[in-house]
Amino acid sequence: MKNIRNFCIIAHIDHGKSTLADRLLEYTNTVSGKDLQDQVLDDMDLERERGITIKSHAIQMTYQHNGETYVLNLIDTPGHVDFSYEVSRSIAACEGALLIVDASQGIQAQTISNLYMAIDNDLEIIPVVNKVDLESAKPEEVEDQIVDLLGCKHEDIIRASGKTGIGVPEILEAIVERIPAPSGDLEKPLQALIFDSVFNPFRGIIAYFKIINGAIRKGDFVKFVNTEKQYYAEEIGVLKLNLSPREELSAGNVGYIISGIKTSKEVKVGDTITHVAKPCDAAIEGFQEVKPMVFAGVYPIETEDFENLRSSLEKLQLNDASLTFQPESSAALGFGFRCGFLGLLHMEIVQERLAREFNMDVITTVPNVSYKVYDKKGNVTEVHNPSGLPDPTLIEHIEEPYIRASIISTADFIGPIMTLCLGKRGELVKQEFISGNRVELVFDIPLGEIVIDFYDKLKSISKGYASFDYHIHDFRESKLVKLDILLNGESVDALSTLTHVDNAVTFGRRMCEKLKDLIPRQQFDIAIQAAIGAKIIARETIKAVRKDVTAKCYGGDISRKRKLLEKQKQGKKRMKQIGSVEVPQKAFLAVLKLD
């Protein structure tokens, strides 16, 4: 056990985690020849196309140091704020972390938030300044920032480049010398933490675990403590580039177990594996349930695809434990699911994966957050969907979630960033200079305000320099109203939103204008209205497409033309009563990009 090292790589987006992981794998000859490609560990097409890591990836390397062979278990983690849940799971399975900071960009918001997560779990931190080969690199300045943040010495910081391979030998030496070996007891009953799971259509669910105490052998009869399900360990092994079977794994190791599990509910990330014959006393503690931030309805385009969508979401949930869903129905869209996501990027990725991996084309409704509704009898209900809101006469008040947002930027952009945050009903909590020209702004902002397009705006006003991180802070009372969109007097529940009183009129007006452009013209006039309760606050009309029925009358008496026009008018009236308006998928997404 003294020759095992478990570590993860944490950093802000685009600071070069996956590229540095490639160099470590190449240097230890874990991957060579035709397998060697950029971002080896990012195995989804989507990850490669976007150049982001969506899912944590674990792999085992062997390394020779001072004549001894060491086993290094590396977990490469995502950097985007939406996937910080993946990072927290990876950290739970490690004793150390490489903290990577880009030499040209310096410390950013995610760097700090991931670092605090690692320190809370008592991980040994090895700071690395990456991309030192760039012309714009400022390694001395960035090292000063790291020393201020960590309180370490300058000589503890390793300068590296994931592209050219500078500093890789020093990193591997530091991993062996600085990160402690896992502590555990081989004599105690088996206790292993599940930190991830993937779905394989041929072999069922493959669970990844880290053994805290004891040992597991192939063919053992094991049980999962929280779900109380029992299985035979048909295959166990370690995670090389592909799965590599073993006969036995002991404490301190990271590996996988295949036991023919077919249903997703039986494997919970954070669960504990133990033997049936000699179980451990208690489950491993300190694992948090994931909390979705953003909720949206996901509906199949064809109603008969409802069951297919359910099984697709269940399979997707195995590879993405942070996705939650429950069935719901809508008058406009039929049967579907209310899904909880960690953020807008997460929602976009899930939609794209449903289309690519399961051929499911879906309609997504306007995303919103969960609110606490207090009625006059003193009861509290959590509402994820505007249509679930009780009658306004019964509501005492509504509370909405506020986040504590940390924005790090250069001092040049303080003005525009403050304008943006205050325009989103934010409150400035503090402002402090970190080092040189870099400033940290901390705001309390309603989560509902940042759900739609806050991050994109922040990036554009700060020319890409500002970095953003947040966590849920508390719930506060707020004056919220339900804004309904009516088409020909019929409410389209999929377009209704909960919004603040001050924003309601402008938001309703912009919605109506946008929908007028997007809904195709029919044979009859379509009235688009925005309403709060019974009060109409905005209206647009889509004019009818009309056929020229008098074209065949050349000359002759006017009464002939009038007769044809009257007949057409009656037909239009009948059509308006029975005609239904099709709302295209573009219209549901347009709400997200109202600016």
Side-chain angles (χ1 to χ4, degrees), residues 54-70:
I54 293 168
K55 197 161 168 44
S56 298
H57 300 275
I59 191 163
Q60 189 176 90
M61 309 179 279
T62 48
Y63 172 62
Q64 301 288 337
H65 180 65
N66 294 345
E68 287 196 51
T69 304
Y70 288 87

Side-chain angles (χ1 to χ4, degrees), residues 129-364:
V129 176
N130 195 21
K131 306 191 187 180
V132 290
D133 56 322
L134 293 182
E135 285 181 14
S136 58
K138 309 184 287 278
E140 288 82 10
E141 198 177 305
V142 174
E143 280 183 9
D144 290 342
Q145 292 175 15
I146 294 174
V147 170
D148 286 348
L149 181 69
L150 275 176
C152 61
K153 300 187 182 108
H154 274 277
E155 51 270 25
D156 293 342
I157 302 170
I158 301 169
R159 292 189 184 186
S161 160
K163 199 171 184 180
T164 59
I166 301 168
V168 171
E170 289 86 346
I171 291 174
L172 286 164
E173 270 179 38
I175 289 166
V176 169
E177 285 166 7
R178 293 196 218 166
I179 293 176
S183 58
D185 191 340
L186 287 168
E187 303 307 315
K188 281 189 177 176
L190 172 68
Q191 206 179 18
L193 170 78
I194 300 178
F195 66 88
D196 208 351
S197 64
V198 292
F199 179 75
N200 181 311
F202 305 107
R203 314 206 55 184
I205 293 161
I206 303 171
Y208 295 166
F209 60 79
K210 180 200 174 184
I211 304 177
I212 310 291
N213 293 315
I216 183 170
R217 287 166 197 78
K218 186 179 172 182
D220 278 356
F221 194 35
V222 295
K223 76 166 181 181
F224 291 11
V225 176
N226 288 344
T227 54
E228 296 187 343
K229 297 274 193 240
Q230 301 180 353
Y231 309 99
Y232 284 100
E234 290 168 16
E235 180 179 312
I236 59 166
V238 293
L239 301 152
K240 295 282 190 183
L241 194 55
N242 298 313
L243 303 178
S244 173
R246 295 280 187 274
E247 286 300 315
E248 181 181 3
L249 289 175
S250 57
N253 265 303
V254 172
Y256 69 90
I257 178 169
I258 300 177
S259 40
I261 306 168
K262 289 285 186 283
T263 52
S264 57
K265 293 185 181 67
E266 295 180 20
V267 177
K268 276 205 166 66
V269 169
D271 203 347
T272 305
I273 306 176
T274 187
H275 284 127
V276 174
K278 192 181 166 190
C280 58
D281 304 334
I284 298 161
E285 287 180 5
F287 210 83
Q288 300 150 349
E289 276 290 311
V290 56
K291 276 203 174 70
M293 300 282 182
V294 176
F295 296 86
V298 173
Y299 293 85
I301 287 177
E302 300 297 330
T303 330
E304 56 266 24
D305 286 342
F306 176 70
E307 282 305 323
N308 294 350
L309 179 60
R310 183 198 294 272
S311 68
S312 304
L313 282 168
E314 279 175 359
K315 285 173 187 163
L316 193 54
Q317 198 178 29
L318 290 174
N319 289 338
D320 184 352
S322 43
L323 172 69
T324 58
F325 64 92
Q326 59 194 57
E328 70 162 6
S329 63
S330 145
L333 299 170
F335 289 102
F337 294 93
R338 190 93 199 144
C339 295
F341 306 100
L342 298 178
L344 278 194
L345 176 70
H346 186 213
M347 174 172 146
E348 207 178 308
I349 297 287
V350 166
Q351 214 174 332
E352 188 118 345
R353 286 183 71 182
L354 282 171
R356 285 186 186 206
E357 295 171 28
F358 305 100
N359 289 331
M360 287 298 311
D361 280 332
V362 292
I363 291 177
T364 317

Side-chain angles (χ1 to χ4, degrees), residues 411-422:
D412 319 350
F413 304 113
I414 292 179
I417 289 172
M418 282 206 172
T419 311
L420 171 70
C421 294
L422 297 172

Side-chain angles (χ1 to χ4, degrees), residues 271-562:
D271 203 347
T272 305
I273 306 176
T274 187
H275 284 127
V276 174
K278 192 181 166 190
C280 58
D281 304 334
I284 298 161
E285 287 180 5
F287 210 83
Q288 300 150 349
E289 276 290 311
V290 56
K291 276 203 174 70
M293 300 282 182
V294 176
F295 296 86
V298 173
Y299 293 85
I301 287 177
E302 300 297 330
T303 330
E304 56 266 24
D305 286 342
F306 176 70
E307 282 305 323
N308 294 350
L309 179 60
R310 183 198 294 272
S311 68
S312 304
L313 282 168
E314 279 175 359
K315 285 173 187 163
L316 193 54
Q317 198 178 29
L318 290 174
N319 289 338
D320 184 352
S322 43
L323 172 69
T324 58
F325 64 92
Q326 59 194 57
E328 70 162 6
S329 63
S330 145
L333 299 170
F335 289 102
F337 294 93
R338 190 93 199 144
C339 295
F341 306 100
L342 298 178
L344 278 194
L345 176 70
H346 186 213
M347 174 172 146
E348 207 178 308
I349 297 287
V350 166
Q351 214 174 332
E352 188 118 345
R353 286 183 71 182
L354 282 171
R356 285 186 186 206
E357 295 171 28
F358 305 100
N359 289 331
M360 287 298 311
D361 280 332
V362 292
I363 291 177
T364 317
T365 64
V366 186
N368 58 289
V369 299
S370 62
Y371 298 92
K372 285 184 179 173
V373 179
Y374 290 79
D375 62 16
K376 292 187 173 164
K377 293 176 182 169
N379 303 326
V380 188
T381 45
E382 235 185 52
V383 175
H384 301 310
N385 189 348
S387 58
L389 205 65
D391 191 270
T393 52
L394 304 174
I395 297 173
E396 178 68 39
H397 66 269
I398 302 176
E399 288 186 356
E400 64 175 336
Y402 266 69
I403 57 160
R404 176 65 55 92
S406 155
I407 298 169
I408 295 180
S409 169
T410 52
D412 319 350
F413 304 113
I414 292 179
I417 289 172
M418 282 206 172
T419 311
L420 171 70
C421 294
L422 297 172
K424 296 278 187 189
R425 313 200 328 260
E427 297 166 15
L428 182 65
V429 178
K430 70 172 182 184
Q431 166 186 346
E432 61 182 347
F433 282 84
I434 303 173
S435 63
N437 194 24
R438 296 164 64 75
V439 66
E440 180 181 22
L441 300 168
V442 179
F443 282 92
D444 282 351
I445 310 177
L447 179 60
E449 292 282 343
I450 70 151
V451 156
I452 292 179
D453 54 2
F454 179 81
Y455 193 60
D456 302 344
K457 280 185 181 169
L458 179 69
K459 280 290 180 200
S460 57
I461 62 173
S462 65
K463 301 184 181 161
Y465 278 109
S467 59
F468 170 68
D469 181 55
Y470 66 86
H471 58 268
I472 286 286
H473 188 54
D474 57 4
F475 277 79
R476 299 185 193 177
E477 192 176 326
S478 205
K479 288 185 78 174
L480 298 166
V481 288
K482 182 182 169 195
L483 181 74
D484 287 311
I485 298 293
L486 312 173
L487 293 181
N488 279 345
E490 292 287 316
S491 169
V492 183
D493 57 356
L495 286 172
S496 61
T497 51
L498 274 175
T499 179
H500 195 263
V501 170
D502 301 345
N503 305 343
V505 175
T506 48
F507 187 67
R509 205 166 283 152
R510 279 159 50 204
M511 283 271 278
C512 291
E513 285 163 7
K514 194 80 177 179
L515 289 171
K516 185 183 177 184
D517 298 339
L518 290 169
I519 293 176
R521 289 169 72 183
Q522 310 279 344
Q523 300 272 338
F524 51 92
D525 282 1
I526 303 170
I528 304 170
Q529 294 164 311
I532 296 173
K535 184 182 174 189
I536 304 292
I537 55 170
R539 173 185 170 127
E540 293 285 336
T541 309
I542 301 175
K543 287 291 174 199
V545 182
R546 52 178 291 235
K547 184 180 168 190
D548 189 358
V549 285
T550 58
K552 60 185 177 188
C553 304
Y554 43 93
D557 189 39
I558 185 70
S559 60
R560 290 179 63 203
K561 291 185 179 177
R562 184 149 296 146

Side-chain angles (χ1 to χ4, degrees), residues 5-8 73 75 87-96 121 123 182 193-195 208-210 212 252-254 287:
R5 299 288 182 273
N6 300 319
F7 69 101
C8 59
N73 290 310
I75 304 178
V87 183
S88 73
R89 296 186 350 206
S90 309
I91 284 174
C94 295
E95 281 83 37
N121 281 279
L123 298 200
L193 170 78
I194 300 178
F195 66 88
Y208 295 166
F209 60 79
K210 180 200 174 184
I212 310 291
N253 265 303
V254 172
F287 210 83

